[in-house]
């Protein structure tokens, strides 16, 4: 089926255009994420076959398997799925608003902003994990406000937002290095571990805030999906089509920053998922627009798969998921820059 063909489904006050290829890609990504989740739950010092994992999730496992699956491993997998989806939706919004494939929240400073808050709590206040998460959220939001204000000049436009964000990112990176030099050995080790981005030790306390954030913010973003597609055509075209450009952009950016903040608070600054997932989803679907739902499914599948790779692909040495995404995403970023340069866009 052609990528531009499809069927529009309308209800009162809401319409959505379904593309056959997009639907197929979404189903395949959902199946991939679900399959990888089952495999990841069954992975560990006490391996459980996939059939045993499914039986346990359906409430038919033995007591030992129920404890391992439901209490120890399921929360980690749910955090991976939710963090991956949140980062991907956030990245899709930023890339569409900026009309730039480099317009990712971790590239333009929001990940480093959250890191400043977390490191400040660790180094200066010796805070616990809850305080660290709160510090990351507050600092991420503050960074979003700062970048938005610095990029404002009769409105916020894409390339200015990206350029200002890259500058802020550089400043915050330097400040994080300064905080590390002020930390004692124990706090420095704790800070570096957090900065790596990890899903180790995650439990239900991290799951529920992510569930709430995604259930509130993702529907708001989806509700502005049509307006977001119009913004990709340029401000003048969006105005002509009846979109309140600045208000819509502000609402979408607030939702994207909050999703980024929630993901960072739960798992640390996991890099490149927000950059790569939306673009991979768009390439697979071939459909115009931000492809928000395919992006979310791609992000979830990527992060669960990366977490499994970090546990299994390097022998007895388990790598934090942030290291795996950093290695893969760094290679993707180099490829993207080369492609954009050959196309004459940078």
């Amino acid at each position: 089926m052609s990528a531009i063909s499809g069927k529009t489904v309308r209800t009162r006050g809401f319409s959505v255009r379904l593309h056959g290829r997009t639907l197929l890609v979404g189903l395949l990504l959902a199946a991939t994420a679900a399959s990888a989740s089952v495999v990841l739950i069954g992975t560990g010092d006490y391996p459980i076959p996939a059939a045993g994992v499914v039986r346990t999730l359906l409430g038919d496992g033995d007591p030992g398997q129920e404890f391992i699956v439901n209490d120890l491993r399921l929360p980690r997998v749910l955090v991976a799925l939710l963090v991956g989806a949140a980062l991907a939706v956030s990245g899709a919004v930023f890339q569409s608003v900026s009309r730039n494939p480099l317009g990712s929240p971790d590239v333009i400073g929001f990940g480093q902003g959250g890191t400043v808050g977390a490191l400040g709590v660790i180094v200066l206040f010796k805070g616990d994990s809850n305080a660290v998460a709160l510090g990351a959220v507050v600092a991420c939001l503050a960074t979003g406000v700062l970048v938005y204000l610095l990029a404002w000049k009769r409105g916020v436009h894409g390339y200015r937002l990206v350029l200002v964000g890259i500058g802020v990112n550089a400043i915050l990176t330097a400040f994080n290095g300064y905080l590390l030099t002020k930390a004692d050995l124990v706090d420095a080790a704790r800070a570096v571990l957090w900065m790596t981005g990890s899903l180790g030790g995650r439990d239900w306390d991290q799951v529920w805030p992510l569930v709430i954030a995604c259930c509130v913010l993702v529907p708001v973003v989806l509700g502005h999906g049509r307006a977001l597609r119009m913004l990709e055509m340029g401000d003048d075209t969006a105005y002509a089509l009846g979109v309140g450009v600045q208000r819509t952009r502000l609402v979408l950016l607030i939702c994207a920053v909050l999703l980024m903040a929630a993901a960072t608070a739960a798992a640390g600054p996991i890099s490149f998922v927000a950059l790569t997932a939306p673009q991979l989803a768009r390439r697979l679907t071939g459909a115009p627009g931000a492809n928000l739902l395919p992006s979310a499914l791609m992000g979830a599948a990527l992060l669960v798969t990366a977490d499994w790779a970090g546990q299994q692909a390097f022998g007895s040495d388990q790598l934090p998921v942030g290291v795996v995404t950093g290695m893969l995403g760094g290679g993707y970023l180099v490829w993207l820059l080369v492609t954009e340069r050959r196309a004459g866009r940078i």
Side-chain angles (χ1 to χ4, degrees):
M1 181 177 291
S2 172
I4 61 174
S5 64
K7 179 180 180 181
T8 301
V9 178
R10 291 184 175 89
T11 60
R12 179 174 296 182
F14 179 79
S15 66
V16 61
R17 188 165 182 80
L18 300 177
H19 299 279
R21 179 172 167 180
T22 301
L23 183 60
L24 177 61
V25 168
L27 291 174
L28 290 175
L29 289 174
T32 300
S35 301
S37 298
V38 170
V39 172
L40 183 57
I41 290 174
T43 300
D45 293 333
Y46 181 81
I48 302 175
V53 171
V54 173
R55 283 197 305 269
T56 303
L57 291 174
L58 295 176
D60 194 28
D62 62 56
Q65 289 182 342
E66 288 182 357
F67 173 74
I68 292 172
V69 170
N70 296 327
D71 294 338
L72 299 182
R73 297 180 184 173
L74 180 59
R76 175 176 181 148
V77 172
L78 290 177
V79 169
L81 292 170
L82 292 168
V83 167
L87 290 175
V89 172
S90 179
V93 169
F94 272 98
Q95 290 173 20
S96 293
V97 167
S98 65
R99 287 181 287 159
N100 190 321
L102 295 176
S104 171
D106 48 359
V107 172
I108 60 179
F110 298 104
Q112 288 296 330
T115 303
V116 167
L119 263 61
V121 171
I122 292 172
V123 175
L124 302 178
F125 302 104
K126 316 294 183 181
D128 60 14
S129 58
N130 291 328
V132 170
L134 179 60
V137 170
V138 172
C140 194
L141 295 176
T143 304
V145 172
L146 177 64
V147 171
Y148 189 86
L149 292 177
L150 291 176
W152 178 273
K153 183 180 180 182
R154 295 189 297 274
V156 174
H157 300 282
Y159 277 95
R160 188 161 63 242
L161 180 70
V162 173
L163 291 174
V164 169
I166 290 174
V168 170
N169 185 66
I171 295 171
L172 294 175
T173 300
F175 189 69
N176 286 331
Y178 169 77
L179 287 175
L180 283 175
T181 65
K182 291 296 184 181
D184 59 35
L185 184 60
V186 174
D187 288 339
R190 182 184 173 198
V192 169
L193 179 61
W194 189 91
M195 290 171 62
T196 304
S198 174
L199 297 170
R202 296 308 182 261
D203 57 28
W204 291 103
D205 290 338
Q206 284 81 41
V207 173
W208 296 119
L210 277 170
V211 169
I212 294 171
C214 290
C215 288
V216 172
L217 297 171
V218 172
V220 174
V221 175
L222 293 176
H224 288 78
R226 179 180 178 276
L228 184 61
R229 181 176 174 183
M230 301 304 173
L231 287 177
E232 290 187 343
M233 301 178 185
D235 288 1
D236 293 339
T237 302
Y239 274 124
L241 293 171
V243 176
V245 171
Q246 296 304 330
R247 181 191 63 82
T248 300
R249 183 179 285 128
L250 179 60
V251 170
L252 287 169
L253 288 177
I254 288 173
C255 290
V257 171
L258 287 172
L259 285 169
M260 180 72 180
T264 302
I270 295 177
S271 58
F272 291 113
V273 173
L275 174 70
T276 58
Q279 295 180 43
L280 291 175
R282 186 177 296 202
R283 291 174 185 274
L284 287 176
T285 63
N291 287 271
L292 294 170
L293 284 177
S295 295
L297 293 169
M298 175 64 76
L302 278 177
L303 200 55
V304 171
T305 304
D307 192 31
W308 176 85
Q311 293 186 47
Q312 296 296 308
F314 300 93
S316 60
D317 297 324
Q318 293 191 9
L319 293 183
V321 68
V323 174
V324 179
T325 61
M327 290 189 296
L328 298 177
Y332 180 83
L333 178 59
V334 171
W335 175 85
L336 177 64
L337 290 171
V338 171
T339 302
E340 292 291 299
R341 184 176 181 274
R342 287 178 177 174
R345 289 188 285 267
I346 61 174

